[in-house]
């Protein structure tokens, strides 16, 4: 076998086949990496705010609680799970902090959509002394803004990771008389490999 000079014909063929196989494996691996396994950015597809309830008492003292349901749908396009951390939704009224609520950490399975939501109770007593409050209340609509940031990590094959932070802000308009709410939301995301 180990003759000096020209390598034997059999060895040449064997080397050739090995090289071809190796190249094939590398190419297939590269294609898989670039298509299937490449970590992708999770997307926020929908956001909505609903008015769950308005409760008030006027006598003996004025109390008003507004309960809002805030939901964002996160779409995980990865062939791996997306895990996000505990977070908080902040609600402001005319720039003043009005309420906050926690979002529980969770994991979104591979290629799935998941509603991330929470319920925020705005205790209006906290800002009913605000000079704009009575004006807004008599006009029938109370406007709030909510901000949520979600930090998460998508992992494919335990080694390929992408970290993301998404910011969602919503302008919420609560119609006190009709007891409904409308919202306009906007999301943006930042990524790190
Ligand atoms: C508003 O919420 C606070 C705190 O959750 C509660 O103590 C209060 O009873 C509520 N008021 C009304 C009118 O529901
Ligand atoms: C997230 O919140 C839950 C419940 O509030 C808590 O048990 C858990 O330790 C928190 N996780 C982190 C990483 O802070
Ligand atoms: C609003 O008032 C409630 C109870 O009166 C209090 O627990 C809560 O921390 C207050 N929220 C803010 C943002 O000041
Ligand atoms: C509240 O929001 C609604 C809808 O975005 C808008 O028409 C209205 O003028 C706003 N009211 C105030 C007091 O800013
Ligand atoms: C809220 O109710 C009013 C009156 O019923 C209606 O005109 C408006 O379209 C409703 N808004 C939403 C967001 O459902």
């Amino acid at each position: 076998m180990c003759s000096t000079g020209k390598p034997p014909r059999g060895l040449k063929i064997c080397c050739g086949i090995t090289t071809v196989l190796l190249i094939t494996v590398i190419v297939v691996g590269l294609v898989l990496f670039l298509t299937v396994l490449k970590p992708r950015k999770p997307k926020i597809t929908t956001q909505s705010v609903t008015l769950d309830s308005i409760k008030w008492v006027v006598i003996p003292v004025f109390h008003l609680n507004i309960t809002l349901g805030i939901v964002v749908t996160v779409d995980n396009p990865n062939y791996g799970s997306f895990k996000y951390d505990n977070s908080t939704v902040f609600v402001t009224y005319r720039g003043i902090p009005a309420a906050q609520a926690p979002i529980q950490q969770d994991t979104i399975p591979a290629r799935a959509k998941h509603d991330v939501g929470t319920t925020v109770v705005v205790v209006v007593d906290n800002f009913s002394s605000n000079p704009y409050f009575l004006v807004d209340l008599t006009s029938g609509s109370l406007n709030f803004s909510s901000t949520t940031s979600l930090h998460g990590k998508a992992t494919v094959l335990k080694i390929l990771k992408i970290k993301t932070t998404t910011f969602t802000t919503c302008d919420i308009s609560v119609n006190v008389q009709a007891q409904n709410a409308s919202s306009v939301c906007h999301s943006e995301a930042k990524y790190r490999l």
Side-chain angles (χ1 to χ4, degrees):
M1 275 298 279
C2 299
S3 63
T4 47
K6 282 187 189 172
R9 207 174 128 81
L11 189 59
K12 258 190 189 170
I13 292 174
C14 180
C15 271
I17 291 174
T18 309
T19 310
V20 168
L21 270 180
L22 209 65
I23 289 172
T24 310
V25 167
I26 290 172
V27 167
V28 168
L30 206 65
V31 168
L32 267 183
F33 178 72
L34 291 177
T35 55
V36 177
L37 301 176
K38 183 183 159 213
R40 281 162 226 264
K41 305 159 179 178
K43 286 191 292 273
I44 289 190
T45 51
T46 54
Q47 311 109 99
S48 68
V49 179
T50 54
L51 182 66
D52 288 355
S53 74
I54 291 189
K55 284 189 188 146
W56 51 20
V57 287
V58 182
I59 297 162
V61 229
F62 178 79
H63 289 298
L64 172 58
N65 288 358
I66 297 172
T67 308
L68 300 170
I70 298 181
V71 175
V72 297
T73 304
V74 181
D75 186 357
N76 176 22
N78 288 290
Y79 287 86
S81 59
F82 174 68
K83 186 174 182 296
Y84 58 87
D85 302 334
N86 283 345
S87 177
T88 309
V89 176
F90 295 96
V91 175
T92 58
Y93 169 75
R94 289 188 173 268
I96 307 160
Q100 61 184 62
I103 289 180
Q104 289 289 331
Q105 62 184 26
D106 207 346
T107 300
I108 304 176
R111 300 187 66 76
K113 279 185 190 172
H114 197 89
D115 284 343
V116 181
T118 192
T119 302
V120 185
V121 182
V122 180
V123 180
V124 174
D125 310 14
N126 292 11
F127 55 83
S128 54
S129 58
N130 187 300
Y132 292 112
F133 176 70
L134 271 183
V135 179
D136 287 353
L137 192 65
T138 37
S139 84
S141 70
L142 293 173
N143 289 0
F144 299 96
S145 296
S146 77
T147 56
T148 316
S149 65
L150 216 57
H151 300 277
K153 192 161 67 180
T155 310
V156 182
L157 285 184
K158 292 201 164 71
I159 46 161
L160 307 168
K161 295 186 175 125
I162 186 167
K163 282 186 181 166
T164 79
T165 301
T166 60
F167 300 97
T168 306
T169 58
C170 294
D171 289 320
I172 306 160
S173 186
V174 173
N175 186 329
V176 180
Q177 263 170 342
Q179 306 228 333
N180 62 17
S182 59
S183 60
V184 179
C185 299
H186 175 77
S187 289
E188 61 179 87
K190 286 183 180 160
Y191 307 96
R192 259 181 312 135
L193 275 176

